[in-house]
Amino acid sequence: MNDTTVNVALISILICHLVFITIGYKMEKTSLFISYLNAIVVMGILIFWVNKNLNIQQHNFEFRESFALCLEAIILIFALYSIIGFHNNTYVKVINYIGFGLHLLATIAMLIFMSVFKMNKLF
């Protein structure tokens, strides 16, 4: 895997974020569409984390890793809560928008990082 593959993946994730927010705005169900996207992104992150850590014999959790996993779990819980039918609740909307913003900012930051620093080998 090289940096071009990662750049293409990051650009496609960024486009998906923009498509979901645009379609949600046009259909006037932005919070519901953002909830679906948050659930998909969080499940992808959690599956990647579990797959990466399966072969580790002894795993020591750092604070940053625990914080990120708890934050993603909270975003997933509120996304599922919104999908079930409570997408008009103000607190649920706020958490979903914060999660969407964090995922969007992280994607943009990774894309900038990958475009500034060239990698020969990833993973």
Side-chain angles (χ1 to χ4, degrees), residues 29-113:
K29 293 188 183 255
T30 308
S31 62
L32 187 60
F33 276 91
I34 286 175
S35 300
Y36 280 111
L37 184 64
N38 280 343
I40 291 168
V41 170
V42 170
M43 284 187 216
I45 290 170
L46 292 178
I47 288 170
F48 176 78
W49 181 81
V50 167
N51 189 23
K52 188 183 106 183
N53 291 314
L54 276 177
N55 296 328
I56 297 175
Q57 297 294 330
Q58 181 180 0
H59 187 77
N60 298 325
F61 282 99
E62 293 183 13
F63 176 73
R64 294 176 293 177
E65 184 178 12
S66 300
F67 180 74
L69 287 175
C70 289
L71 181 68
E72 293 299 328
I74 290 170
I75 292 171
L76 180 63
I77 289 168
F78 277 93
L80 293 176
Y81 190 68
S82 176
I83 291 169
I84 290 171
F86 298 99
H87 60 272
N88 290 328
N89 190 341
T90 305
Y91 298 113
V92 174
K93 280 184 180 180
V94 168
I95 298 295
N96 281 323
Y97 281 116
I98 289 172
F100 178 81
L102 288 174
H103 291 149
L104 186 64
L105 287 175
T107 304
I108 291 170
M110 286 187 280
L111 186 62
I112 291 170
F113 179 80

